[in-house]
Amino acid sequence: MLIGIIGAPNKGKSTLFSAITLHDVAIANYPFTTVDPNKGVAYATATCPETELGLHCRARNSMCINGVRMLPINIVDVAGLVEGAHEGRGMGNQFLNDLSTADAFLIVVDASGKTSSSGNPCDSCNPIDDVTMVKDELIEWVAGIISSHMRVITHSANGLEALENVLSGLKLRRGDIERAAAKRSLPLDKIEWDEDGIRAFSEELLFSTKRVMVVANKYDEPGAERNFAELKKNLGEDAEWASAAIELALRKAAHQGVIAYEPGATEFKLLKPDVSQEQRRALDYMADFIKPGGTNVQNIINKAVFGLLDCIVVYPVEDEHKYTDHFGNVLPDAILVKRGSTAQDLAAAIHTDLAQGMLYAIDARTKMRLAKNYVLKNNDIIKIVSTAK
Ligand SMILES: Nc1nc2c(ncn2[C@@H]2O[C@H](COP(=O)(O)OP(=O)(O)O)[C@@H](O)[C@H]2O)c(=O)[nH]1
Ligand SMILES: [Mg+2]
């Protein structure tokens, strides 16, 4: 799973990226880090069943801190989106690759309205223009790919196949293309669409296959609250407020051992009382800001994973009595699957052999037998019974 952070310049994309990928020293040592400077790992959080079961888990593919299971999610800071980007300005290959492979986008906008949609200083700009700019650029980019191949597509014996080939970089299925065309009443037997048709199709295709959430950042700035309310009212997408800068400052302070702060918290504890007056003032300011509802940054990650991407978390085990894998690790793995996935899908996510030889599953809590087509529920603990070892 890959979430892309996207938006005009100076909205706080890199700040948000740094914040969500900066972890405690203990976590930083965890082997999930990549070398790419714009790629990193954030964590969605869920309540680990260890508390409910009165056990101590030994997490392997994820982490567990104080009963909170932390599920790694790949994040990419997609830099370089400006107006006219689809015409070639600023859109390098890396950019396109990041865009194509992402499952969802967080569109970062400046809720304070102090930067324009091209990223320049502004007295009072409307953050909704930021959203429009980003979406238009994405649509124009897909439309541009199709337009430049339209002749070939029109004249090919199998137009749909030709169109599919042209869009092959986008992580789509043929069904996605068919649905988008049908939705906009565009024929697929002979593909001879005009510019408007191509644009309509591109819009439909893009936003039916990539999930989008708007992040109204810089919520700590004056005017942001009002702009955010306005944005919520006029926007079709999910929108959440955030202060990436405060989240980053808090995580840095925690990283340096100055405070104890857990992402999502509405307070922190001072660990080093001998801070400078300036630092004290900054900490007091941040303490006040997070009191009503934190920085909202952790909530955004969780909403992206469990809401936008519609995932649930399930815990496969080999021993349904001890809740362990075969080495005796308690609740070793937490796996994110799409809501609606079956026990068979879970088996397939673990191993093809396990799925092929699957007989049935067991609900570890109730010890009840579950059919292969049992639809998984969030927080399920499941043993897969299979002829495969
Ligand atoms: N007040 C405030 N400033 C922020 C916030 N997030 C980012 N900034 C500032 O906005 C400017 C641009 O941030 P940056 O992350 O480089 O933006 P990018 O170009 O979108 O990657 C920097 O000066 C940041 O410190 C925030 O939540 N609140
Ligand atoms: Mg940046």
Side-chain angles (χ1 to χ4, degrees):
M1 194 185 313
L2 178 67
I3 295 176
I5 299 176
I6 190 169
N10 293 321
K11 305 297 171 182
K13 297 181 299 294
S14 299
T15 306
L16 179 65
F17 174 83
S18 305
I20 60 180
T21 57
L22 177 67
H23 311 295
D24 264 343
V25 187
I27 301 173
N29 290 333
Y30 206 67
F32 274 125
T33 35
T34 38
V35 280
D36 236 320
N38 70 330
K39 294 208 172 73
V41 168
Y43 293 90
T45 55
T47 305
C48 180
E50 66 165 10
T51 317
E52 158 213 337
L53 299 171
L55 296 168
H56 277 296
C57 75
R58 203 183 297 164
R60 313 302 285 183
N61 79 334
S62 42
M63 287 177 305
C64 191
I65 296 171
N66 302 327
V68 178
R69 192 55 84 106
M70 301 176 69
L71 306 135
I73 308 295
N74 292 311
I75 304 287
V76 57
D77 178 2
V78 187
L81 188 77
V82 289
E83 201 168 349
H86 71 277
E87 289 160 351
R89 275 208 295 143
M91 271 186 157
N93 280 336
Q94 186 55 46
F95 179 89
L96 298 178
N97 188 44
D98 292 344
L99 276 186
S100 325
T101 48
D103 302 289
F105 295 118
L106 300 178
I107 299 182
V108 181
V109 305
D110 179 351
S112 73
K114 290 291 184 288
T115 50
S116 71
S117 59
S118 50
N120 297 314
C122 178
D123 275 340
S124 78
C125 277
N126 192 341
I128 206 156
D129 296 340
D130 293 2
V131 182
T132 311
M133 188 282 281
V134 171
K135 290 176 71 177
D136 280 349
E137 286 305 321
L138 293 177
I139 294 165
E140 292 303 337
W141 160 60
V142 177
I145 299 173
I146 300 172
S147 284
S148 63
H149 294 89
M150 204 59 207
R151 278 174 61 94
V152 180
I153 297 168
T154 304
H155 294 108
S156 118
N158 188 338
L160 177 57
E161 197 174 275
L163 180 59
E164 200 181 357
N165 283 337
V166 162
L167 296 172
S168 60
L170 271 173
K171 255 177 90 173
L172 304 164
R173 274 167 299 220
R174 178 172 286 203
D176 298 325
I177 295 175
E178 289 171 332
R179 258 190 307 277
K183 197 87 183 273
R184 300 295 175 118
S185 309
L186 292 160
L188 279 173
D189 44 348
K190 177 129 178 87
I191 302 178
E192 209 169 4
W193 308 335
D194 61 9
E195 288 302 313
D196 285 347
I198 293 174
R199 203 179 181 284
F201 171 78
S202 303
E203 179 173 17
E204 186 65 42
L205 184 71
L206 200 54
F207 298 112
S208 61
T209 54
K210 308 275 187 193
R211 300 276 97 84
V212 168
M213 185 194 285
V214 173
V215 175
N217 191 37
K218 309 196 187 184
Y219 200 69
D220 52 288
E221 291 280 345
E225 210 167 320
R226 195 189 56 234
N227 283 334
F228 176 64
E230 194 65 18
L231 194 67
K232 282 277 266 196
K233 221 168 44 198
N234 297 310
L235 210 62
E237 292 81 17
D238 292 319
E240 285 289 335
W241 59 275
S243 176
I246 292 185
E247 181 70 14
L248 180 60
L250 290 172
R251 290 209 192 187
K252 276 187 175 160
H255 201 70
Q256 291 157 0
V258 177
I259 60 171
Y261 169 71
E262 277 167 29
T266 54
E267 58 185 14
F268 57 80
K269 212 171 103 194
L270 193 60
L271 298 177
K272 283 189 183 157
D274 56 333
V275 293
S276 69
Q277 213 167 32
E278 195 187 338
Q279 223 174 355
R280 163 85 62 178
R281 225 173 294 138
L283 286 168
D284 285 346
Y285 170 75
M286 294 194 286
D288 278 345
F289 181 81
I290 66 170
K291 213 178 274 168
T295 66
N296 211 29
V297 168
Q298 186 59 46
N299 183 37
I300 285 169
I301 300 301
N302 288 351
K303 277 206 160 167
V305 173
F306 298 112
L308 206 57
L309 290 167
D310 209 20
C311 286
I312 57 170
V313 54
V314 293
Y315 300 83
V317 293
E318 264 189 63
D319 183 328
E320 73 274 28
H321 301 285
K322 296 191 179 128
Y323 304 97
T324 57
D325 65 9
H326 124 152
F327 303 104
N329 298 308
V330 175
L331 298 169
D333 294 334
I335 297 192
L336 286 168
V337 295
K338 285 264 174 204
R339 190 181 300 280
S341 298
T342 62
Q344 175 84 54
D345 296 331
L346 175 64
I350 300 168
H351 204 281
T352 26
D353 291 347
L354 193 71
Q356 260 158 25
M358 178 168 177
L359 301 170
Y360 56 92
I362 296 172
D363 179 332
R365 285 192 182 83
T366 60
K367 317 292 184 253
M368 297 271 279
R369 215 183 242 233
L370 305 168
K372 285 199 257 188
N373 65 357
Y374 165 78
V375 177
L376 298 163
K377 292 197 304 292
N378 188 44
N379 211 27
D380 267 348
I381 306 172
I382 300 283
K383 175 187 165 71
I384 305 287
V385 180
S386 169
T387 54
K389 268 289 133 196

